[in-house]
Amino acid sequence: MINKVKTYLAKVNDMTPAAKASFWFVVSNIMLKGISFITTPIFTRLLDVADYGVSNLFITWEGIISIFATLSLSGGVYNVAMTKYEDDVDTVTSSFIGLTALTSIFVYSICIVVNLLFPNLFELNTGYLVFMWIQTFFNASTAFWLMRKRFTFDYKKVIAYTFSNAILSPVVAIIAVYFANENKAYAKVIGSGLWPIIIGFVIMMMLVFKGKKLYHKEYWKFALKFNIPLLPHYLSSSAVGSIGKLMLNHFANTAYVGLYGIAGSITGVMSIVTGSINNALIPHTLQSIKNGITKELNKSIKRYLLIIAIVCCGVLLFSREAVLILATPEYMDAIWFVAPLVLGTFISFLSGIIGNIVFYYEETKFMSYATMVTAVVNFVLNFVGIKFFGPYAAGYVTLATSLIRFFMYYFTAKKFEKNLKDIVSLKFIFTLFLCLFVLMILSLIFWDAFIVKLLLLGVVGILVVIFRKHIFY
């Protein structure tokens, strides 16, 4: 076994710099989010329900407010800017930090004033919002640094940061909560954010010192023109993930919201993998398109799609067992949500890949249109589906809207990338999706037949062995 691991690591070491960096970025991101997932049971035992709810409310509001406060400048626009202004990346980075500082101060100042006037709106005291601004800004600075290291395939420094943050952040938070006699939620929030803020401050100073300019008219103009049209896209993406739960609460009851939440937690583990892979593919995609090298990119995408498909197979077949691990038999009906959500996660990963291509051509407004249309369709289908077909329709609505968004992204990208079929093969995608769809039906039919599921898993394993060269090499 050890020799096989050494052999595989040796093959990883022989990969191209892009492929090798992508591999280690995926591993580091999975470890980071995996540790976060593992520490959740610890916090639920240290905090009462109310305090745990407050800490989650803080995270939810930060996710929404940060879209406006940072304009998500460390995402797609920064990758494109590093490609477009490759000879002046230091100045691009420092100017983007300057713009982030300005927008975050402006947005959080408004939030604090609004919170003072209407304290029930956020349901958080002002101290939380002040800390949220500090954390948002320094996390954004770190994100610029991480994205640049990914872009240059400097995976060792990214891994060093990732592991230190994955270990120290929850450890500090656990210690803070354990010794806090009161305001444990505040202790958890500050404890979780303290180490990233310290590192973010150091990174911010380093990047600003290298770039020297916090304001650059051309780069600010480029960033605003590129990303402001994307704000509806980011907000609509958040809405798509929330509408189903709100509709379930309205038309059914909170029990079904809980079942959907358990299903979301199970597929959320998959999202850790898909999100990590997509982040690793961004620089590889942009640079491959820029240099007109699509063959290697196509191979990488196929390899990752097969890996994600294998993960989907495992989750589909053993969703019952996953529910029992995360919850109790009372939540067993969550499996009827898990099946469509698994396929929806697979399709969302495809949309992310296509989105990276659209980013390259700076046609972000089309992504906003697609996401807003998807949000509206999601609302309508959830309204009709849950009302007339029952609560479990919410899962299939998520799958349907994921497919709609994928095709809208695909045909948008096709307008600008003439070699799209050489990068992403619809035939290959359709074949994988069809196989997963059939397995989804079988998993629902034999949801409690453990032996049958083992046999189906064996079939998947045989197929993996047969096609292993296409998956791993």
Side-chain angles (χ1 to χ4, degrees):
M1 182 65 181
I2 296 176
N3 290 332
K4 288 183 178 180
V5 172
K6 289 182 178 179
T7 301
Y8 184 70
L9 290 176
K11 290 180 178 179
V12 170
N13 198 48
D14 291 335
M15 290 179 179
T16 63
K20 182 163 61 175
S22 297
F23 172 82
W24 286 113
F25 288 151
V26 170
V27 171
S28 64
N29 276 304
I30 291 174
M31 289 296 296
L32 171 64
K33 296 182 179 179
I35 291 174
S36 175
F37 184 78
I38 291 170
T39 57
T40 298
I42 300 175
F43 286 115
T44 56
R45 285 159 176 78
L46 290 174
L47 299 167
D48 60 30
V49 176
D51 284 334
Y52 192 73
V54 171
S55 65
N56 275 271
L57 183 63
F58 176 91
I59 295 170
T60 301
W61 274 117
E62 184 181 24
I64 295 171
I65 298 173
S66 64
I67 293 173
F68 298 98
T70 68
L71 300 179
S72 297
L73 293 179
S74 61
V77 63
Y78 184 56
N79 282 287
V80 175
M82 285 191 290
T83 303
K84 186 172 183 177
Y85 305 108
E86 58 185 349
D87 296 327
D88 198 21
V89 176
D90 287 336
T91 305
V92 168
T93 305
S94 62
S95 67
F96 275 29
I97 289 175
L99 182 56
T100 301
L102 181 65
T103 55
S104 64
I105 291 172
F106 176 74
V107 170
Y108 274 104
S109 294
I110 293 176
C111 290
I112 290 170
V113 171
V114 170
N115 194 52
L116 292 172
L117 296 174
F118 308 99
N120 292 328
L121 179 61
F122 295 105
E123 296 186 1
L124 294 171
N125 65 46
T126 303
Y128 280 107
L129 291 177
V130 172
F131 186 80
M132 190 185 295
W133 168 70
I134 297 171
Q135 180 170 285
T136 297
F137 174 68
F138 287 115
N139 282 348
S141 299
T142 301
F144 286 120
W145 179 79
L146 289 171
M147 193 59 72
R148 185 170 180 182
K149 294 303 177 185
R150 289 191 180 101
F151 200 83
T152 56
F153 308 121
D154 187 359
Y155 62 89
K156 293 181 180 180
K157 291 180 181 178
V158 174
I159 291 174
Y161 167 81
T162 300
F163 277 94
S164 68
N165 189 47
I167 294 171
L168 290 175
S169 182
V171 166
V172 173
I174 290 169
I175 293 172
V177 173
Y178 182 80
F179 286 103
N181 294 322
E182 55 185 24
N183 293 325
K184 287 182 177 289
Y186 203 51
K188 197 247 181 197
V189 168
I190 293 179
S192 297
L194 188 60
W195 175 251
I197 287 174
I198 293 172
I199 294 296
F201 174 78
V202 174
I203 289 174
M204 184 271 295
M205 294 298 293
M206 177 184 68
L207 294 177
V208 170
F209 179 78
K210 289 180 68 177
K212 296 181 174 58
K213 294 183 179 180
L214 290 174
Y215 171 75
H216 191 289
K217 183 178 180 180
E218 180 182 354
Y219 299 158
W220 277 32
K221 183 178 179 180
F222 170 77
L224 293 172
K225 182 180 178 181
F226 188 102
N227 253 36
I228 285 180
L230 275 174
L231 293 183
H233 161 73
Y234 293 129
L235 289 173
S236 298
S237 296
S238 298
V240 168
S242 304
I243 289 173
K245 294 178 184 178
L246 295 175
M247 289 287 188
L248 282 172
N249 187 53
H250 181 73
F251 288 116
N253 54 54
T254 53
Y256 283 104
V257 177
L259 294 175
Y260 193 96
I262 290 295
S265 296
I266 293 171
T267 55
V269 177
M270 286 180 54
S271 297
I272 292 174
V273 180
T274 58
S276 300
I277 290 175
N278 188 52
N279 285 335
L281 274 174
I282 290 174
H284 188 20
T285 300
L286 297 180
Q287 294 185 26
S288 295
I289 294 174
K290 179 183 178 181
N291 298 322
I293 305 172
T294 58
K295 186 176 180 180
E296 180 67 27
L297 178 61
N298 176 265
K299 289 173 63 178
S300 295
I301 291 174
K302 281 186 175 181
R303 182 186 302 120
Y304 284 128
L305 283 174
L306 285 166
I307 291 173
I308 297 301
I310 293 170
V311 174
C312 288
C313 290
V315 178
L316 284 172
L317 290 173
F318 297 101
S319 58
R320 175 183 179 274
E321 288 70 25
V323 170
L324 290 175
I325 291 172
L326 288 180
T328 64
E330 296 177 81
Y331 290 84
M332 190 53 64
D333 284 340
I335 64 172
W336 310 113
F337 285 122
V338 172
L341 290 181
V342 167
L343 268 69
T345 303
F346 177 77
I347 297 299
S348 295
F349 173 65
L350 288 167
S351 298
I353 292 174
I354 302 298
N356 295 337
I357 297 172
V358 179
F359 275 145
Y360 176 81
Y361 289 99
E362 302 176 28
E363 299 293 341
T364 54
K365 59 180 180 292
F366 291 100
M367 290 184 67
S368 293
Y369 299 153
T371 308
M372 285 187 286
V373 169
T374 302
V376 173
V377 171
N378 186 276
F379 177 85
V380 174
L381 290 181
N382 268 303
F383 183 89
V384 175
I386 297 173
K387 187 173 183 179
F388 294 101
F389 298 99
Y392 297 117
Y396 295 92
V397 168
T398 299
L399 172 57
T401 50
S402 297
L403 283 166
I404 292 170
R405 181 170 58 180
F406 166 72
F407 282 112
M408 291 184 73
Y409 277 21
Y410 183 87
F411 289 111
T412 296
K414 195 174 181 181
K415 292 180 181 179
F416 307 104
E417 176 52 59
K418 304 304 179 185
N419 297 316
L420 183 61
K421 63 180 182 180
D422 297 326
I423 300 174
V424 180
S425 170
L426 276 182
K427 182 179 179 180
F428 180 77
I429 290 170
F430 178 77
T431 301
L432 276 181
F433 180 78
L434 184 61
C435 292
L436 288 174
F437 189 81
V438 171
L439 189 65
M440 179 187 77
I441 295 173
L442 292 173
S443 71
L444 292 174
I445 295 173
F446 301 107
W447 67 274
D448 62 343
F450 188 72
I451 300 300
V452 176
K453 292 191 294 185
L454 282 178
L455 291 174
L456 289 171
L457 182 64
V459 172
V460 173
I462 292 171
L463 292 174
V464 170
V465 172
I466 294 173
F467 297 103
R468 64 187 181 280
K469 292 183 178 180
H470 299 284
I471 299 174
F472 299 109
Y473 307 115

